């Protein structure tokens, strides 16, 4: 009996160890990063007198969570320290994390009523959380002036409305982009893309890169529906129907074209196979092939250049290719949000911090647009003078994109993570040669419609 | 007087038992009851559950292709892993049963993978060995064998590379075998030797039959464990490629925490409980045919 008990104990230990390990699960994006920017600003704060008008409640501890890479973790912590020293009595309990696993943990916290006071939220999940009443309505704070939106473009902050409630305050704007490594392109002897290039140009360039240098033309496979969304919008229809109960396009050839695009690239070796992509995807942005000079293009958000600046300062941002229809299909996406938990007991303090985060110059001098182009026009003009090359590129890119954009789609429907997974699986089946692009389009439609109908 | 003493003793017993009992009730019993209830609801974790009867179960068996896929993958994994792991554990236990110097050290070494390989770190190492551009591919390349696709990237082999990782966790079964081997009376072997039996036939005629209660015990334990495998597919392959390593528990986890489908996920958990119970029951039924107890009347081998 004793032996059995001991083994049971051992097994229990192994199992629990396994579970505990998952929380510390690998964080590819937490890989190497420069500490320089954060370290440079650490020293300045304490001299300044606290500008707080009203005395704050003593010893309020705000919990806050965000995803990001090491660079972001470092400067955000600096930011929190600065805020604490400006506002005696306010301290923070920070839970930084990589993107992977962030929303798994958040859903668990939401279920147990233990959401942090301040939550970095993505457009993907804003509707899901808001519709289930887990996020506080920030509109009353905006009305009372506690949250000052005077310098924020209405189109931008209204992206945070779900069912008439301001469920999150957008922190930045962001656009899909095809970042490229100019050195790889010149090595392959191809000229850099123009703003009106087409998918055919793109494929030709990628294949030439592969032929001349042996490197990837495009280093990524789809990871969610954003590029697909852009591709489908070029055909003139939205990806999701307005009521979110089904797909919004009726012509399956658009999806087939998207699948064929990746198939063409992967079959010719100009893009990684799903097998190779698994390894690349685990490297994190800073070590991704485009940043290290092992690929020409990737698909990313417009803050990519800023994020990898410490590794490779020469990354440029290309406008995603046009289709032969010539339709403008890009949109300026709310980059990320700060939301306040409905269960928070410190809503006033949380809102005050968010207000400081978007509107104050001292905060943004530390953030330096790493989360994307700031939403406040005042902050944008304040930063203009001090931007480095990558940040300037990002600002210019967003300005440039306005001419290539149409209205942004509404927040992604509930069930989006299952649709994202379905897209990845469907494209994988094409890339493994199990189904044709046309079959993929049919499968995707029937299964995506079922998911959307069930969730909305 | 006697009665109250007994009452006192019972009370004391329960008091001693309290920490375990509290853990059992709070961590197992209540959550299980809750999950049974939730399995009949539509529950997204953020809003209150809505009662929907057997809809989750109907959807699972009637419409959900991924459920069947996950079930198939898990069965493949269990059938590939458990016999191999037990055979390997027995083989190593036999080797370690000799009298050599430093045997305790060997035993420790051979047990180590069991502690390590449930961990994230080893799962990542596995990815580096069997993945694309990993150690295995590079080695084979150097030997002139060029592969287009890695073992983990190939939908036909990925689940077996995970089984390989599982086989490596043979330590606990090995230790149980080892202690059982030591309890086989030496006289049996001696008299067989005198009768001229070789090592091979002594193994099959004496050791193996005497070990059947232990094999039985290990078999049940390992089957239960294998059905519940999670970390391997979560970390090494994330269920891919093409869902070829989509373990049942990984799919259950995804439905709960990625797709906000906790009610359905609870239903899946109960289906798994039933599957494991059925398996265990069947193995128990068959034990009269193949398990040999030296002394009838004892419940098991461990005393």
């Amino acid at each position: 009996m004793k032996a059995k008990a001991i083994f049971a104990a051992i097994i229990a230990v192994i199992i629990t160890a396994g579970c505990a390990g998952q929380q510390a699960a690998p964080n590819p994006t937490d890989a190497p990063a420069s500490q320089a920017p954060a370290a440079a600003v650490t020293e300045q704060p304490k001299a300044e007198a606290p500008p707080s008008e009203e005395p704050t409640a003593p010893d309020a501890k705000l919990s806050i969570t965000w995803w990001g890479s090491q660079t972001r973790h470092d400067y955000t912590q600096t930011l929190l320290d600065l805020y604490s020293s400006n506002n005696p009595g306010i301290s923070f309990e920070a839970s930084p994390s990589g993107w992977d696993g962030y929303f798994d943990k958040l859903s668990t916290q939401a279920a147990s009523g233990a959401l942090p006071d301040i939550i970095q939220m993505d457009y993907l999940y804003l509707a899901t959380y808001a519709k289930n009443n887990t996020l506080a309505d920030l509109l009353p704070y905006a009305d009372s002036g506690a949250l000052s939106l005077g310098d924020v473009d209405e189109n931008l902050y209204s992206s945070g409305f779900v069912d008439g409630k301001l469920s999150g305050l957008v922190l930045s704007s962001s656009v899909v982009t095809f970042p490229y490594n100019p050195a790889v392109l010149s090595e392959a002897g191809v000229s850099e893309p123009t703003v009106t290039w087409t998918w055919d140009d793109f494929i030709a360039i990628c294949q030439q890169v592969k032929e001349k240098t042996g490197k990837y033309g495009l280093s990524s496979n789809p990871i969610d529906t954003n590029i697909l969304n852009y591709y489908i919008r070029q055909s003139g229809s939205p990806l999701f129907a307005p009521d979110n109960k089904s797909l919004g396009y009726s012509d399956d050839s658009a999806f087939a074209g998207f699948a064929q695009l990746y198939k063409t690239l992967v079959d010719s070796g100009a893009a990684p196979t799903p097998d190779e992509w698994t390894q690349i995807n685990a490297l994190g942005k800073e070590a991704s092939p485009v940043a290290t000079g092992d690929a020409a293009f990737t698909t990313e958000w417009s803050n990519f250049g800023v994020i990898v600046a410490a590794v490779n300062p020469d990354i440029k941002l290309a406008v995603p290719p046009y289709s032969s229809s010539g339709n403008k299909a890009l949109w300026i996406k709310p980059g990320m949000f700060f939301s306040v938990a409905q269960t928070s007991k410190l809503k006033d303090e949380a809102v005050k911090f968010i207000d400081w985060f978007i509107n104050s110059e001292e905060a943004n001098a530390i953030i330096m647009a790493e989360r994307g182009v700031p939403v406040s026009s005042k902050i944008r003009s304040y930063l203009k003078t001090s931007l480095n090359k990558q940040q300037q590129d990002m600002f210019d890119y967003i300005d440039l994109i306005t001419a290539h954009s149409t209205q942004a789609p509404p927040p992604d429907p509930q069930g989006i993570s299952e649709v994202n997974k379905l897209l990845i699986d469907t494209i994988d089946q094409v890339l493994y040669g199990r189904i044709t692009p046309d079959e993929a389009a049919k499968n995707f439609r029937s299964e995506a419609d079922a998911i959307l109908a069930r969730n909305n | 007087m006697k009665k109250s003493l007994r009452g006192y003793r019972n009370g004391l017993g329960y008091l001693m038992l309290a920490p375990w009992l509290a853990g059992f009730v709070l961590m197992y019993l209540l959550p299980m009851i809750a999950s049974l209830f939730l399995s009949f609801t539509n529950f997204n974790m953020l809003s209150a559950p809505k009662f929907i009867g057997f809809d989750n179960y109907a959807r699972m068996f009637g419409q959900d292709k991924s459920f069947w896929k996950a079930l198939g993958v898990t069965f493949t994994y269990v059938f590939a892993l458990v016999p191999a792991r037990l055979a390997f554990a027995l083989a190593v236990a036999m080797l370690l049963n000799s009298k050599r110097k430093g045997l305790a050290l060997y035993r420790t070494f051979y047990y180590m993978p069991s502690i390590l390989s449930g961990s994230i770190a080893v799962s990542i190492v596995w990815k580096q060995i069997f993945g694309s551009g990993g150690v295995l591919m590079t080695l084979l390349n150097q030997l002139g064998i060029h592969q287009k696709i890695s073992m983990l990237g190939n939908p036909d082999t990925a689940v077996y590379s995970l089984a390989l990782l599982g086989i490596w966790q043979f330590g606990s079964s090995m230790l149980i075998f080892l202690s059982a081997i030591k309890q086989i009376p030496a006289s049996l072997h001696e008299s067989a030797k005198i009768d001229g039996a070789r090592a091979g036939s002594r193994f099959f005629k004496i050791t193996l039959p005497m070990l059947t209660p232990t094999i039985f015990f290990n078999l049940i334990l390992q089957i239960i464990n294998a059905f519940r495998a999670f970390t391997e597919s979560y970390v090494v392959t994330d269920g891919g490629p093409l869902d070829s390593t989509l373990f049942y528990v990984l799919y259950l986890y995804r439905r709960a925490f990625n797709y906000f489908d906790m009610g359905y996920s609870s239903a899946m958990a109960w289906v798994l409980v039933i599957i494991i119970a059925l398996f265990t029951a069947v193995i128990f039924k068959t034990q009269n045919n193949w398990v040999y107890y030296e002394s009838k009347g004892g419940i098991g081998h461990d005393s």
Side-chain angles (χ1 to χ4, degrees):
Chain A
M1 203 62 222
K2 206 174 170 190
K4 198 172 176 181
I6 291 170
F7 290 124
I10 291 168
I11 288 161
V13 167
I14 293 168
I15 291 166
T16 21
C19 294
Q22 277 142 31
Q23 279 164 8
N27 247 329
T29 41
D30 280 0
S34 78
Q35 318 236 316
V41 282
T42 340
E43 273 123 55
Q44 79 189 54
K46 281 191 179 148
E48 274 172 318
S52 60
E53 313 89 286
E54 66 250 77
T56 51
D59 299 331
K61 188 162 202 168
L62 285 167
S63 49
I64 176 170
T65 184
W66 69 87
W67 73 84
S69 56
Q70 194 58 43
T71 318
R72 182 176 299 166
H73 299 339
D74 291 342
Y75 82 75
T76 306
Q77 190 56 53
T78 310
L79 209 60
L80 300 182
D81 293 343
L82 172 63
Y83 190 81
S84 296
S85 67
N86 284 353
N87 299 272
I90 301 285
S91 59
F92 290 93
E93 187 187 328
S95 317
S97 147
W99 170 264
D100 280 351
Y102 179 83
F103 282 95
D104 298 8
K105 192 177 165 195
L106 206 61
S107 58
T108 325
Q109 288 173 320
S112 56
L115 279 177
D117 298 308
I118 304 170
I119 305 152
Q120 186 173 310
M121 181 53 75
D122 192 75
Y123 211 38
L124 270 178
Y125 293 103
L126 187 71
T128 304
Y129 279 86
K131 282 183 189 290
N132 288 291
N133 292 319
T134 49
L135 304 178
D137 183 6
L138 303 180
L139 195 56
Y141 296 95
D143 291 342
S144 77
L147 189 59
S148 161
L149 299 180
D151 299 319
V152 182
D153 181 18
E154 193 188 336
N155 276 333
L156 264 175
Y157 74 72
S158 58
S159 60
F161 280 110
V162 179
D163 298 339
K165 290 179 189 164
L166 188 57
S167 306
L169 188 65
V170 60
L171 302 180
S172 62
S173 44
S174 187
V175 184
V176 169
T177 177
F178 279 46
Y180 63 99
N181 187 319
V184 175
L185 287 185
S186 73
E187 189 187 337
V190 287
S191 52
E192 297 183 16
T194 62
V195 291
T196 53
W197 64 328
T198 64
W199 288 109
D200 290 339
D201 300 335
F202 174 66
I203 292 174
I205 293 178
C206 285
Q207 288 179 334
Q208 191 169 349
V209 168
K210 173 66 187 176
E211 253 169 56
K212 293 277 163 62
T213 66
K215 297 173 177 177
Y216 293 127
L218 173 71
S219 72
S220 60
N221 285 5
I223 54 162
D224 55 35
T225 45
N226 280 303
I227 306 291
L228 173 69
N229 204 339
Y230 171 66
Y231 197 94
I232 297 287
R233 280 163 64 97
Q234 289 183 323
S235 73
S237 307
L239 178 57
F240 299 113
D243 64 0
N244 283 336
K245 288 183 190 303
S246 65
L247 293 175
Y249 61 94
S250 53
D251 182 6
D252 274 344
S253 69
F255 185 97
F258 179 77
Q260 183 62 51
L261 169 77
Y262 279 93
K263 186 173 166 55
T264 306
L265 291 173
V266 171
D267 285 353
S268 60
T273 64
D275 187 19
E276 292 157 347
W277 167 241
T278 341
Q279 301 284 339
I280 294 171
N281 194 23
L283 295 172
K285 295 186 202 295
E286 288 94 338
S288 62
V290 168
T292 55
D294 296 308
F297 290 94
T298 185
T299 48
E300 262 292 349
W301 295 104
S302 43
N303 57 349
F304 181 74
V306 178
I307 290 174
V308 302
V311 185
N312 188 334
D314 298 321
I315 299 300
K316 289 188 182 173
L317 309 178
V319 177
Y322 270 89
S323 73
S324 51
S325 74
N327 284 344
K328 292 176 181 177
L330 281 172
W331 68 97
I332 297 182
K333 172 191 175 282
M336 56 187 75
F337 296 80
F338 267 156
S339 291
V340 176
Q342 186 68 55
T343 48
S344 168
K345 294 192 177 70
L346 298 166
K347 292 197 183 78
D348 293 350
E349 291 302 335
V351 167
K352 201 175 152 208
F353 172 78
I354 296 173
D355 182 63
W356 179 76
F357 191 97
I358 23 177
N359 288 315
S360 98
E361 293 181 353
E362 65 174 344
N364 281 281
I366 296 175
I367 302 167
M368 284 312 284
E370 189 272 347
R371 277 172 157 90
V373 173
V375 290
S376 156
S377 55
K378 207 180 85 202
I379 293 300
R380 281 201 299 273
S381 52
Y382 162 74
L383 287 180
K384 279 252 157 78
T385 52
S386 54
L387 292 176
N388 65 22
K389 183 167 133 295
Q390 295 80 22
Q391 292 153 351
Q392 187 62 53
D393 281 353
M394 176 174 70
F395 277 64
D396 292 348
Y397 183 73
I398 302 252
D399 286 346
L400 170 72
I401 250 33
T402 318
H404 301 269
S405 298
T406 53
Q407 206 200 335
D412 288 318
Q414 299 190 72
I416 184 68
S417 48
E418 205 175 341
V419 176
N420 282 340
K421 185 75 180 96
L422 172 67
L423 173 67
I424 296 168
D425 287 352
T426 310
I427 297 295
D428 276 358
Q429 284 181 310
V430 173
L431 298 183
Y432 271 101
R434 302 287 166 105
I435 54 174
T436 66
D438 287 329
E439 288 163 344
K442 280 204 196 76
N443 292 355
F444 182 74
R445 172 175 302 280
S446 68
E447 296 192 27
D449 280 351
I451 294 167
L452 292 167
R454 196 166 64 235
N455 281 283
N456 292 285
Chain B
M1 192 60 202
K2 252 188 180 169
K3 233 179 185 174
S4 72
L5 186 64
R6 179 184 277 174
Y8 167 76
R9 281 195 178 146
N10 279 350
L12 193 66
Y14 281 116
L15 192 69
M16 301 286 201
L17 209 56
W20 181 85
L21 216 53
F24 175 75
V25 170
L26 289 175
M27 303 296 197
Y28 286 89
L29 198 60
L30 290 180
M32 278 180 80
I33 294 167
S35 105
L36 185 60
F37 164 72
L38 289 175
S39 76
F40 297 104
T41 67
N42 182 1
F43 179 45
N44 68 3
M45 291 198 288
L46 306 174
S47 291
K50 284 189 270 304
F51 189 78
I52 53 167
F54 280 90
D55 281 10
N56 284 330
Y57 294 91
R59 191 175 121 210
M60 197 184 309
F61 292 108
Q63 299 161 27
D64 191 348
K65 283 183 218 150
S66 296
F67 164 77
W68 290 106
K69 175 83 194 175
L71 209 57
V73 167
T74 309
F75 271 89
T76 312
Y77 177 75
V78 171
F79 285 119
L81 169 69
V82 175
R85 184 193 272 176
L86 290 184
F88 197 62
L90 182 58
V92 176
M94 291 300 290
L95 284 177
L96 290 183
N97 188 37
S98 51
K99 291 192 176 69
R100 273 174 215 279
K101 268 194 177 167
L103 213 55
L105 204 64
Y106 283 119
R107 282 176 198 158
T108 315
F109 281 147
Y110 279 103
Y111 190 73
M112 249 183 221
S114 295
I115 299 173
L116 290 176
S117 59
S119 76
I120 300 291
V122 171
S123 296
I124 291 173
V125 169
W126 221 251
K127 208 166 160 179
Q128 300 295 340
I129 296 176
F130 291 97
S132 169
V135 177
L136 187 69
M137 250 179 130
T138 317
L139 270 178
L140 289 175
N141 237 333
Q142 304 242 316
L143 296 173
I145 306 167
H146 296 285
Q147 288 178 300
K148 281 196 82 165
I149 194 160
S150 71
M151 239 180 116
L152 284 178
N154 185 339
D156 299 326
T157 57
V159 71
Y160 298 104
S161 22
L162 292 191
L164 212 57
L165 173 59
I167 292 169
W168 199 44
Q169 288 170 277
F170 61 91
S172 63
S173 316
M174 188 250 323
L175 280 189
I176 299 173
F177 276 131
L178 192 59
S179 69
I181 291 170
K182 289 197 176 303
Q183 282 173 22
I184 298 173
S187 55
L188 290 180
H189 281 285
E190 276 159 20
S191 55
K193 252 190 218 167
I194 293 168
D195 291 344
R198 276 178 239 240
S201 63
R202 282 205 317 267
F203 174 77
F204 285 107
K205 297 265 162 69
I206 298 173
T207 313
L208 214 52
M210 295 295 286
L211 282 180
T212 46
T214 318
I215 295 175
F216 171 71
F217 172 74
N218 269 337
L219 186 65
I220 289 182
L221 207 66
Q222 295 305 334
I223 283 182
I224 294 175
N225 264 342
F227 269 112
R228 293 163 56 214
F230 172 77
T231 318
E232 294 85 348
S233 65
Y234 181 71
V235 180
V236 182
T237 55
D238 194 23
L242 302 185
D243 285 345
S244 63
T245 60
L246 184 66
F247 286 0
Y248 193 93
V249 180
L250 176 66
Y251 183 54
L252 182 155
Y253 172 89
R254 269 196 199 151
R255 286 239 74 95
F257 298 107
N258 294 352
Y259 306 157
F260 300 94
D261 209 355
M262 188 55 98
Y264 187 87
S265 179
S266 302
M268 278 188 71
W270 278 95
V271 170
L272 182 62
V273 167
I274 292 166
I275 291 172
I276 292 179
L278 280 178
F279 253 83
T280 315
V282 167
I283 295 168
F284 258 97
K285 276 275 176 214
T286 61
Q287 71 169 322
N288 284 337
N289 300 327
W290 63 278
V291 180
Y292 169 73
Y293 291 109
E294 200 180 7
S295 55
K296 289 276 176 185
I299 309 164
H301 68 288
D302 52 347
S303 49

